[in-house]
Amino acid sequence: MPTARRTAILAVLLVAAGSLAFATGAAVLDGEADTLADDRVAIQPADGPNGKYAYLNEDDEITIDVSPSNPNLSADFEGVNVDSTGRIDDVFTITYTANETADVWIEHAGENLTFTTDDGPIENESNAVTLGPDGSVSVGLRFDTRGAEAGTYLSGDEFAVHANVTDPASAENAAFTAEGDDDAAGPRVLVADAGPSARELEASDVDPGDTLRFETDGMSVNGGDLTLDRIDLRGVATRTVRMDADGTPDPLPEAGPLEAARDPVPLGYLALEYDFDPAEVDEMAIRFSVDREYLGDTDPENVVVFRRSDDGDWEPRETAVLDEDVVEIRGLSEDRVHFVARTTEFSTFAVATHTDRIGIRNASTADEAVEAGAETTVTATVENAGGAAGERTLELTADGGTLDDEALDSETVSLDPDESTTVSFPVEFAENGAYDLAVDGTSAGTLLVGDGTGSGDETARAAADEGSQPQPDADGGNEVSTDGGSQSDAEGSEASEQDPPTEEPGGFGIRELAGVMGVLAVLLGWLAVIRRMPRS
């Protein structure tokens, strides 16, 4: 029986419904586009492979269709699986063709779809993307089909593109800045300079759901190496907001130093004090930047913001690096790396970097002793306990004989976080001796070459000759000799103790007695001969 495949049809059919007014001036676009506001905003399918999910319908309206009804897709395309999440990048582009700078964002009514860019969501004004003249941004979709039924459509059928004309110079702060005026609708936002590393933030006349932007003008967190550039509050439900921001390179007494898994290295700390309920704010975006030279070889992707929880734990927050195109469009300093961290909870924060922590877990030799000229192996287990991928060159050293921590061999390893590997080094010594081996300073043990003393074979022969001689036991007797010359066991020893050998008195032994008896026999023989001789 064939396996059933349940799919949820994602036919978005999102038609651009409208936009705000723009300044005059338009650019010529390549190809057809859905244009708005007298051609000052243009929406087109993206050039990449995912651009097939977007097309212009008969009314030249941009349509995003991830379903079998899309004429660009194959006939066997069924849709997106239910109970799944995923994203489709680079579906369509939005191009701003006027002569000014504009913040562009998208609004739509759906809950299962989110419009995204490389810099994160582009939905709602708080996530707007700044476009310069003829600037363009590529937009994709993030979908969530959990809880959806097969054969249904997700989201609404329309979306709106919005843009606000901006003047980059108006974002510059002195000791005091204000956005808006008394006659204009919307909240009044104030930022007061309370010192190089402190800002006082205020907002009044806030309407439910407003987004507040506090330009902090490069407030020092760690001198000029790390600065706070802006704080955004999205979905504010309180009428007024008061908040103090203070930065320091050192741990704050009330929070203590950053302590988290994989031992991140703190760059600076940010303390926020506020007079409102954090639950009345949907999200806070912390925008900061770090000097490129200060980062050195550290990958910007390894910079993370941590929040100290009420339980005293340090929890990582979603942190992203701003794309270089966005930095250029917004007129931000290209000598710095710009970041945005998002959180739904307020507290003390730490900006830190994950680093690789590659080290030797253990090391050992395959043999404890070998002959001169024979090869053995030193093995080491290497692990990366840090939070970033890294590379390290390991050295095998030996100390002993004529060597003094001399590097015998080296090997370079590359490890991801929590990854480990095993490296092996062949070892061979021509001279006898005892060699202390180590891999990157971690002992692998002592290797004995030859007899391990450096005295040569004569000592070994002398030891062998000494071992061949019978050795006296505790009672003065002889033990078993390697050449079989003596024999002694428990039974023989007992017999010796019971029947000790008889000694002849005066030292007259059997051999002496036998000699005397022989002489007497000769004399007796001569005596008999004499007695038989005739007498005259």
Side-chain angles (χ1 to χ4, degrees):
M1 183 174 67
T3 302
R5 184 184 180 204
R6 298 178 64 230
T7 60
I9 306 302
L10 180 61
V12 184
L13 195 62
L14 297 177
V15 180
S19 63
L20 301 182
F22 299 95
T24 59
V28 177
L29 299 173
D30 294 332
E32 297 181 350
D34 183 0
T35 59
L36 309 169
D38 297 331
D39 297 339
R40 293 171 178 83
V41 173
I43 308 173
Q44 296 175 294
D47 291 335
N50 289 344
K52 63 186 178 181
Y53 295 111
Y55 60 88
L56 299 178
N57 63 16
E58 296 177 354
D59 297 325
D60 289 331
E61 295 175 322
I62 190 71
T63 300
I64 304 166
D65 193 349
V66 188
S67 78
S69 63
N70 188 328
N72 297 330
L73 304 179
S74 61
D76 58 353
F77 182 79
E78 295 181 298
V80 179
N81 289 334
V82 296
D83 295 326
S84 65
T85 60
R87 58 185 299 162
I88 308 172
D89 295 325
D90 304 324
V91 176
F92 64 98
T93 60
I94 301 175
T95 303
Y96 177 59
T97 66
N99 296 328
E100 304 292 336
T101 300
D103 287 343
V104 178
W105 73 94
I106 293 174
E107 287 187 354
H108 77 105
E111 296 180 354
N112 301 89
L113 293 175
T114 303
F115 289 92
T116 63
T117 68
D118 291 340
D119 192 30
I122 193 176
E123 295 184 1
N124 303 316
E125 185 178 2
S126 62
N127 297 320
V129 173
T130 302
L131 299 179
D134 300 333
S136 180
V137 62
S138 183
V139 182
L141 291 172
R142 187 169 62 203
F143 60 85
D144 185 347
T145 65
R146 290 174 295 186
E149 297 181 1
T152 61
Y153 292 88
L154 300 179
S155 188
D157 60 357
E158 289 187 350
F159 68 91
V161 177
H162 294 273
N164 274 343
V165 177
T166 62
D167 179 7
S170 64
E172 298 181 359
N173 289 9
F176 174 87
T177 63
E179 297 181 359
D181 53 59
D182 294 337
D183 297 330
R188 180 178 177 84
V189 178
L190 307 175
V191 178
D193 188 339
S197 59
R199 296 290 186 272
E200 297 175 355
L201 315 178
E202 292 186 21
S204 57
D205 299 327
V206 181
D207 292 329
D210 273 348
T211 295
L212 303 177
R213 289 186 176 179
F214 298 99
E215 299 283 355
T216 53
D217 191 27
M219 184 192 88
S220 170
V221 178
N222 186 354
D225 295 328
L226 170 61
T227 59
L228 176 67
D229 302 325
R230 195 173 91 190
I231 290 180
D232 297 340
L233 301 181
R234 183 178 64 83
V236 180
T238 181
R239 289 289 294 172
T240 61
V241 169
R242 288 184 60 88
M243 185 162 56
D244 293 335
D246 292 279
T248 174
D250 302 316
L252 296 160
E254 64 272 16
L258 171 65
E259 295 180 354
R262 299 175 175 175
D263 296 328
V265 179
L267 304 181
Y269 296 84
L270 174 66
L272 298 178
E273 295 183 4
Y274 43 87
D275 65 352
F276 55 89
D277 185 354
E280 295 181 325
V281 177
D282 289 344
E283 182 186 69
M284 176 172 64
I286 303 173
R287 299 182 181 270
F288 63 97
S289 61
V290 182
D291 184 86
R292 288 186 183 275
E293 293 185 0
Y294 181 67
L295 281 179
D297 296 332
T298 301
D299 188 340
E301 296 293 339
N302 292 326
V303 175
V304 182
V305 171
F306 288 83
R307 171 190 173 271
R308 189 178 187 277
S309 69
D310 295 337
D311 296 332
D313 298 326
W314 289 91
E315 304 169 340
R317 301 291 88 180
E318 177 188 348
T319 309
V321 184
L322 293 189
D323 187 86
E324 292 183 357
D325 292 338
V326 175
V327 171
E328 181 179 359
I329 290 170
R330 293 185 177 179
L332 303 176
S333 172
E334 297 183 1
D335 294 332
R336 305 181 67 80
V337 183
H338 301 267
F339 303 85
V340 57
R342 304 182 186 278
T343 179
T344 57
E345 298 172 295
F346 291 44
S347 180
T348 298
F349 298 89
V351 180
T353 60
H354 278 305
T355 63
D356 65 275
R357 297 184 181 276
I358 298 177
I360 308 299
R361 183 189 303 167
N362 53 63
S364 61
T365 57
D367 302 286
E368 295 182 356
V370 295
E371 295 296 328
E375 183 178 289
T376 187
T377 302
V378 174
T379 302
T381 301
V382 191
E383 64 180 353
N384 183 3
E391 182 178 276
R392 183 166 173 178
T393 299
L394 310 174
E395 287 190 345
L396 171 68
T397 59
D399 186 8
T402 59
L403 303 176
D404 186 9
D405 285 338
E406 180 177 330
L408 303 179
D409 199 357
S410 65
E411 184 169 341
T412 300
V413 296
S414 298
L415 297 176
D416 290 329
D418 295 330
E419 185 180 9
S420 63
T421 189
T422 300
V423 295
S424 297
F425 300 92
V427 179
E428 179 180 335
F429 294 100
E431 298 180 1
N432 292 349
Y435 297 89
D436 295 326
L437 301 176
V439 179
D440 237 40
T442 298
S443 175
T446 300
L447 177 66
L448 297 179
V449 179
D451 62 4
T453 64
S455 58
D457 295 335
E458 296 180 358
T459 303
R461 285 197 299 270
D465 294 342
E466 182 179 352
S468 65
Q469 300 300 322
Q471 302 296 322
D473 59 15
D475 298 326
N478 293 332
E479 294 183 355
V480 177
S481 172
T482 55
D483 58 3
S486 299
Q487 180 176 358
S488 174
D489 54 23
E491 182 176 345
S493 299
E494 182 178 354
S496 299
E497 293 177 0
Q498 294 177 351
D499 300 312
T502 303
E503 296 183 358
E504 295 293 333
F508 195 83
I510 295 177
R511 291 181 181 180
E512 289 77 0
L513 179 62
V516 171
M517 293 298 293
V519 172
L520 290 177
V522 172
L523 292 176
L524 289 175
W526 278 106
L527 181 61
V529 171
I530 294 173
R531 292 179 62 182
R532 292 176 184 177
M533 292 179 62
R535 300 174 181 257
S536 56

